[in-house]
Amino acid sequence: MSTVTLAQASTILDTALKKGRETNCAPLTVAVLDSGGHLVAFKREDKSGLLRFDIAFGKAWGALGMGFASRELAERAQKLPAFFGALAAVSQGRLVPAAGGVLIYDEARNVLGAVGISGDTSDRDEDCALSGIKAAGLQV
């Protein structure tokens, strides 16, 4: 099974946080998961809120679990609230349907893992995630 490496995860983390500083984001927390949903690496900036790790992890974990970015999860949650209520129950609350969770692919479109970011607006979190993935030479 292909998966994101620690070296790739480190590049994703560092680049995402750098992008956050360059764009004046609020303090960010970034989590990178492998294709099996296990934490590979994470960083939490000083003053990032207590729940930010759980939110970042939940964005990435939900993207992996459903097979598409958490932005799409958020859009579908608004259309199918009963289904997402059930999904929240079966996932034991680990799924966060808000932009900022992005799947990581290799060139052959194999899922290697996911990155989740929390700290600023969901759109800005997602933008930082995309920057990190691209900097690691991976696909979105």
Side-chain angles (χ1 to χ4, degrees), residues 50-132:
L50 176 65
L51 292 174
R52 294 299 180 183
F53 171 78
D54 296 308
I55 297 167
F57 186 93
K59 287 178 178 183
W61 194 84
L64 279 171
M66 294 303 290
F68 44 82
S70 62
R71 172 178 295 282
E72 178 72 16
L73 288 174
E75 292 168 3
R76 291 186 185 194
Q78 291 195 9
K79 296 175 187 170
L80 302 166
F83 175 73
F84 273 82
L87 193 56
V90 299
S91 72
Q92 299 172 344
R94 291 182 287 180
L95 178 128
V96 177
V102 181
L103 292 175
I104 303 166
Y105 295 94
D106 65 14
E107 289 183 7
R109 297 304 290 166
N110 297 306
V111 174
L112 302 180
V115 59
I117 300 184
S118 180
D120 206 282
T121 65
S122 293
D123 288 339
R124 295 180 83 188
D125 292 345
E126 182 181 69
D127 188 42
C128 292
L130 295 171
S131 294

Side-chain angles (χ1 to χ4, degrees), residues 34-46:
D34 67 16
S35 56
H38 303 283
L39 183 66
V40 175
F42 97 97
K43 285 189 177 182
R44 178 190 161 275
E45 289 187 303
D46 296 343

